[in-house]
Amino acid sequence: MAISFDQSIAVHVRALAVTERRAELLASNLANADTPGYKARDIDFRAALEAAGGQQGLALERSDPGHLPAASGGHGSMSVEYRVPTQPSLDGNTVDTHLEQARFAENALRYEAALTFIGGRIRGLRQAIKGQ
Amino acid sequence: MGLYNIFAVAGSGMSAQSVRLNTVASNLANADAAAGSPEDVYRARQVVFQAVMDGAIGGAEGGGVPVEVVGIRESQAPPRKAYEPNSPLADAEGYVYYANVNPVEQMANMISASRSYQSDVAVMNTARQLMERTLQLGRQ
């Protein structure tokens, strides 16, 4: 019975990848807050996380070696969508700076949470190995 | 790693906003400049921003989109005319032309540019903190 990293922290590693992508998009939105004609974009976090193999928190159980593992979704599963503008603007720019800042802060918090969970798992496994 | 691209994107935003602040400073400094003809007088300048879509950092889908200044445009609004026949700059009819800079508009522009600059700095700081935390993953 081998220790499998994949089963214990797969969802957090996936959340890390999605929050990274999302952080790039939100940073672009903030940098282009004054660009005429720029449309704000974002990733639907929950949909992107579920598009990966399995639902949130549940890993695919394989009771037989012949069972195929769940497909780990590639980068194509993260769909970039346009944000619905909150107020009309003269130059076609749909970035609401305060909204984007709040979303960016929330995204950074998700990233730190995923890091904390992964770090906790690693430390727990290390303790189990050392026997302390 | 995706977070590295954020530095390039936020850096481009900061550079673009500083060019915008430069034009605001030029406009305010030359707000009372006078000239003898409409062609020679200082005209208010404005930056033109553009998102760099085709060179998106990190791939086409979901990559970072930096911003760049494609040009600085001069305002085409007519300059302010003042009747000063005794001025050495007055033209044949006694008019002197002043720059068409609106100080209130320039101050609002300056506030908006500094806010955007600050938010880009905050984005860069947060990205740096997250990457530092990632590097400490698994350490005691």
Side-chain angles (χ1 to χ4, degrees), chain B residues 33-97:
Chain B
S37 72
E39 291 79 30
D40 297 336
V41 74
Y42 180 87
R43 291 180 180 276
R45 291 173 189 214
Q46 175 72 11
V47 286
V48 180
F49 286 163
Q50 199 179 71
V52 183
M53 282 298 210
D54 49 351
I57 302 173
E61 214 192 81
V65 177
V67 62
E68 68 171 351
V69 176
V70 289
I72 299 179
R73 212 180 46 195
E74 288 194 350
S75 155
Q76 296 305 313
R80 197 160 45 97
K81 272 171 29 172
Y83 184 69
E84 292 173 16
N86 300 325
S87 163
L89 292 168
D91 64 358
E93 291 145 17
Y95 282 109
V96 176
Y97 297 90

Side-chain angles (χ1 to χ4, degrees), chain A residues 60-85:
Chain A
L60 189 66
E61 197 183 86
R62 299 166 58 192
S63 53
D64 187 278
H67 285 167
L68 296 168
S72 57
H75 277 303
S77 60
M78 282 190 258
S79 57
V80 177
E81 296 158 6
Y82 290 99
R83 200 186 291 291
V84 176

Side-chain angles (χ1 to χ4, degrees), chain A residues 14-26 43 45 75 78 107 111, chain B residues 1-4 6 62 131 134:
Chain A
R14 181 65 186 164
L16 219 55
V18 174
T19 45
E20 246 181 37
R21 267 297 128 124
R22 199 160 172 239
E24 272 182 65
L25 273 184
L26 294 174
I43 297 175
F45 185 78
H75 277 303
M78 282 190 258
N107 192 52
Y111 189 90
Chain B
M1 195 153 90
L3 287 183
Y4 279 119
I6 293 185
M131 289 174 71
T134 312

Side-chain angles (χ1 to χ4, degrees), chain A:
Chain A
M1 187 176 68
I3 298 174
S4 166
F5 269 103
D6 204 46
Q7 281 185 6
S8 60
I9 57 173
V11 65
H12 299 302
V13 172
R14 181 65 186 164
L16 219 55
V18 174
T19 45
E20 246 181 37
R21 267 297 128 124
R22 199 160 172 239
E24 272 182 65
L25 273 184
L26 294 174
S28 305
N29 288 346
L30 281 171
N32 284 286
D34 299 317
T35 310
Y38 180 83
K39 311 294 177 197
R41 300 182 300 165
D42 199 359
I43 297 175
D44 186 357
F45 185 78
R46 186 165 297 277
L49 210 54
E50 285 177 1
Q55 283 182 343
Q56 217 168 352
L58 291 175
L60 189 66
E61 197 183 86
R62 299 166 58 192
S63 53
D64 187 278
H67 285 167
L68 296 168
S72 57
H75 277 303
S77 60
M78 282 190 258
S79 57
V80 177
E81 296 158 6
Y82 290 99
R83 200 186 291 291
V84 176
T86 50
Q87 36 185 324
S89 78
L90 210 57
D91 59 353
N93 182 291
T94 65
V95 175
D96 184 349
T97 313
H98 310 291
L99 210 66
E100 300 297 332
Q101 278 175 347
R103 294 264 156 80
F104 186 80
E106 177 210 343
N107 192 52
L109 206 58
R110 278 187 201 273
Y111 189 90
E112 290 211 25
L115 278 185
T116 308
F117 288 135
I118 294 176
R121 284 281 182 192
I122 293 177
R123 273 195 292 279
L125 288 169
R126 192 186 272 155
Q127 274 183 2
I129 293 171
K130 283 186 189 169
Q132 288 169 354

